[in-house]
Structure formats: structure tokens, C-alpha cells
Amino acid sequence: MKIALFSDIHANLPALEAFFKDVEARKPDAIYCLGDLVGYNIWPNEVINEIRKRGIPTIAGNYDFGIGRHSDDCGCAYKTDDEKANGAVSISLTNEIVKAEERAYLRTLPAHIKIEFQLNNDKLNLLLVHGSPRRINEYLFEDREEKSMLRILQDADADNMCFGHTHKPYHRILNDSKEGGDHFRHAVNIGSVGKPKDGNPKGGYVLLHVNEHSSAGDKNSLRVEFIRFDYDIEKAAKAVEESRLPNAYAESLRKGV
């Protein structure tokens, strides 16, 4: 079974359209969105409706949560005064242009999705969150201490957990060994479709490959494939520059930072 997971579109319609073209060619058996449909660009309504019309199960990102409630707080962690000022412009503009029906959709998105497989006479579950199981806006970076990451997975009863929010893709395998043997847990950041921050401006998403032999006892039985795709970055960047959004957001699209 191939499961496509994507996240953090952030109102970037050209990136979303290119994503759909790429993912549909790969023919996944299921597709899920891990949130943050809006913010930082000019097409929040269009992005919402492209996802809705396909019936894609979607969870709320922190930006979706804020905009759904017409809040001026997106739950973002800005490091400098300039970033805070730019962020205030972004959430103000997004609140202005998101329509009532689209806002209601954001407001009712679930927080998590959990999928349980019954394989090899045992369960194998997959937990989909935006930031972490604990907080929608918690950043799980790749360098988080192993004990801390493992505790998050254990507390959530997650054999495999996929998330976004940091816009930096990675895959970590942690061995939660018990008396009965190895128990491998996977933590997968699926990256960002519309606002990558790993130095690569191409959009990104993940294909998970699950087969009849997949098991928590075999660390290689869940395959994680990171996909990158081209899209019209200039169209997205120029849309930012032609709006009242800060030009810094256009440059971040061009540089992938």
C-alpha cells in the first residue's frame, strides 16, 4: 500500500497544483493532508477548495487553527522582531481574504488522524499530526534528543508518526526495545509543499510504503520515500511581491529557507 502525505501548503496554489500532478502520476492508494493550508501567500481559499473537492482527509495546522477562529495569532514561533512584524501582516491579510465557508471548514478540521493496520497477527499504527501529538504548534526538529522523541511516540501509542510544521523533512528510526525484542518506531517529518525551509526550493512530500510483512519488529519493513517536485516558484514569489505581503516571503520561496 502506498500512502501519500503532504503538508504546509501555505496558500501556495502553483505548488499545490504541481503536487497534485506529481502525486496522481504515482497512483497512491490513499492520500492525507497534515495541515497548514493557509498563510504567507494569496491563495488560501483556492488551496482549501482544491483539497476539499478531492475529499482528502485533512487535519488542522496551527495556521489553520488560528484563521479558523479569526485569531491574530497563528501559533508560530518567530525568532526576530522583523519576523514577528512580517507574520502580523501575513495573518492580517489572510484573515481578510479567507471567506466564511472556507473559514468554517478550517475551524472543524480534526487535530489528529490515527490509522491502524492488522498485519502479522499484530497491530501496526500510523499517527498523523501537524506539530506533535501534544501541541499543534510544537516543533519536532531532527536533532531532538532520542529519549524525548521516543517518549512522545510512546505516550501517543504511535508505532509510526508523521508530521510537518518545521518544513524540514527527515526520517528517524528509534528502537523501543522490550523484553520481547526490538520495537522500532518511526518519526517522519514530511516536509512542505509550498514553503520549504531545508535549502531546497522544490516542493516536497512523502510516500509511505506498507506491505503485508510490515512490522514494528523490522525497522526496514516500512519504507519512507521523500519526493521533491518542480513548480512555478516565480509565479508564487511574484504574487507575494504584488500583494502587501512582505517581500521576504518571496525570497524565502526562491531560496527554500
Side-chain angles (χ1 to χ4, degrees):
M1 187 177 197
K2 284 194 296 188
I3 303 171
L5 303 171
F6 71 107
S7 183
D8 296 278
I9 305 95
H10 284 299
N12 186 339
L13 184 62
L16 183 66
E17 291 173 336
F19 160 74
F20 281 132
K21 186 176 180 181
D22 189 275
V23 76
E24 286 161 9
R26 298 176 192 272
K27 296 181 169 53
D29 298 294
I31 184 168
Y32 297 91
C33 178
L34 274 55
D36 268 5
L37 283 59
V38 303
Y40 304 121
N41 216 316
I42 67 167
W43 296 287
N45 297 301
E46 292 85 348
V47 165
I48 290 167
N49 289 319
E50 285 298 316
I51 290 171
R52 285 189 79 185
K53 77 181 185 183
R54 288 171 170 82
I56 296 170
T58 301
I59 61 177
N62 54 291
Y63 222 113
D64 306 322
F65 188 91
I67 294 297
R69 289 151 183 78
H70 217 298
S71 170
D72 61 359
D73 181 7
C74 66
C76 310
Y78 297 124
K79 296 177 182 176
T80 68
D81 289 342
D82 283 346
E83 285 183 1
K84 288 178 185 176
N86 289 344
V89 175
S90 173
I91 199 159
S92 173
L93 180 63
T94 304
N95 267 321
E96 280 181 29
I97 59 181
V98 169
K99 299 175 183 176
E101 184 179 339
E102 285 76 5
R103 194 185 304 275
Y105 168 76
L106 294 179
R107 194 161 55 246
T108 53
L109 287 173
H112 306 150
I113 293 174
K114 196 166 195 175
I115 303 154
E116 184 174 305
F117 298 90
Q118 296 288 341
L119 304 168
N120 305 301
N121 299 313
D122 197 6
K123 73 176 180 69
L124 183 74
N125 62 46
L126 170 62
L127 178 64
L128 309 179
V129 302
H130 180 70
S132 86
R134 305 186 298 193
R135 293 197 312 279
I136 194 171
N137 64 338
E138 182 175 12
Y139 292 87
L140 298 182
F141 290 108
E142 187 171 8
D143 62 357
R144 179 176 282 262
E145 187 182 5
E146 184 166 328
K147 283 196 297 185
S148 172
M149 185 73 86
L150 193 54
R151 187 166 58 249
I152 290 169
L153 290 159
Q154 290 168 335
D155 289 349
D157 185 28
D159 299 314
N160 310 292
M161 185 175 72
C162 296
F163 47 96
H165 191 46
T166 71
H167 304 203
K168 295 181 177 182
Y170 67 84
H171 176 203
R172 287 181 67 181
I173 304 174
L174 304 106
N175 191 356
D176 183 14
S177 57
K178 297 181 172 68
E179 288 182 9
D182 293 329
H183 184 113
F184 294 101
R185 298 180 189 266
H186 297 254
V188 183
N189 190 302
I190 65 170
S192 170
V193 162
K195 206 175 187 297
K197 294 183 179 178
D198 62 343
N200 181 349
K202 292 183 178 183
Y205 67 101
V206 154
L207 279 178
L208 288 185
H209 299 261
V210 180
N211 63 56
E212 61 186 315
H213 304 295
S214 293
S215 163
D218 179 358
K219 70 177 182 180
N220 297 314
S221 64
L222 179 80
R223 187 158 69 88
V224 180
E225 184 180 3
F226 291 95
I227 310 292
R228 302 307 284 257
F229 61 90
D230 292 310
Y231 77 95
D232 192 341
I233 294 171
E234 272 307 299
K235 181 177 180 181
K238 286 177 180 175
V240 169
E241 291 170 340
E242 291 169 4
S243 74
R244 76 164 195 265
L245 289 165
N247 288 346
Y249 294 151
E251 283 308 298
S252 73
L253 291 176
R254 292 184 177 112
K255 296 175 181 177
V257 295

